[in-house]
Amino acid sequence: MAKKTLHIYPGSLKEVESLGLRLKDARLRRRFSMEVVCARADISRPTLSKIEKGDPSVAFGHYVQVLRVLGLLADLAQIANEDVLGRRLQDEALPHRQRAPRKKKLPQEDVHGQGKK
């Protein structure tokens, strides 16, 4: 079976590459060798190498495993946490309440039963 070609926008590719570099920096700051991360994440060394290079063809689950090993899994919860555009679209879809037109005020009468002028 032939592999599917992955088409990714250049801006998105830069983001994935940046993520890979940040993961590599996090690994090095913790002084973890590639072997340690691979063993704990249950992935191969070439897969970790691809992750650290920002290869978008690596399964997302492998990225999650590396985040877990590095103690950064909580950062994953921040993705799409503040969906400003989605909230705005949702708010626009809400029904808008329509009010009935105001009733016209009747002329008030004074104490003697005569209307004001």
Side-chain angles (χ1 to χ4, degrees):
M1 184 177 217
K3 273 190 166 181
K4 288 177 76 175
T5 304
L6 182 65
H7 299 286
I8 187 166
Y9 290 108
S12 300
L13 183 59
K14 285 181 184 178
E15 288 297 324
V16 177
E17 289 171 352
S18 176
L19 172 62
L21 183 59
R22 290 192 307 270
L23 291 175
K24 180 178 183 178
D25 290 343
R27 177 181 64 81
L28 294 174
R29 280 192 296 269
R30 286 159 179 74
R31 297 184 180 164
F32 287 170
S33 67
M34 288 186 85
E35 288 79 19
V36 168
V37 174
C38 290
R40 292 181 183 179
D42 195 27
I43 59 175
S44 67
R45 188 176 171 132
T47 300
L48 180 58
S49 181
K50 286 180 179 181
I51 288 172
E52 291 183 349
K53 289 178 183 174
D55 187 337
S57 68
V58 176
F60 182 70
H62 294 310
Y63 279 90
V64 172
Q65 286 296 90
V66 171
L67 286 167
R68 182 188 55 77
V69 169
L70 298 174
L72 299 172
L73 195 57
D75 292 351
L76 195 60
Q78 298 304 316
I79 296 175
N81 192 27
E82 293 295 323
D83 185 12
V84 176
L85 176 62
R87 296 272 186 199
R88 189 177 301 148
L89 292 170
Q90 182 183 27
D91 290 346
E92 286 179 5
L94 292 174
H96 296 286
R97 187 174 150 202
Q98 302 252 342
R99 294 181 177 226
R102 289 185 165 198
K103 293 183 181 178
K104 292 185 179 181
K105 292 185 178 181
L106 298 175
Q108 294 181 352
E109 295 184 5
D110 64 3
V111 185
H112 301 293
Q114 297 176 351
K116 284 189 175 182
K117 293 184 183 180

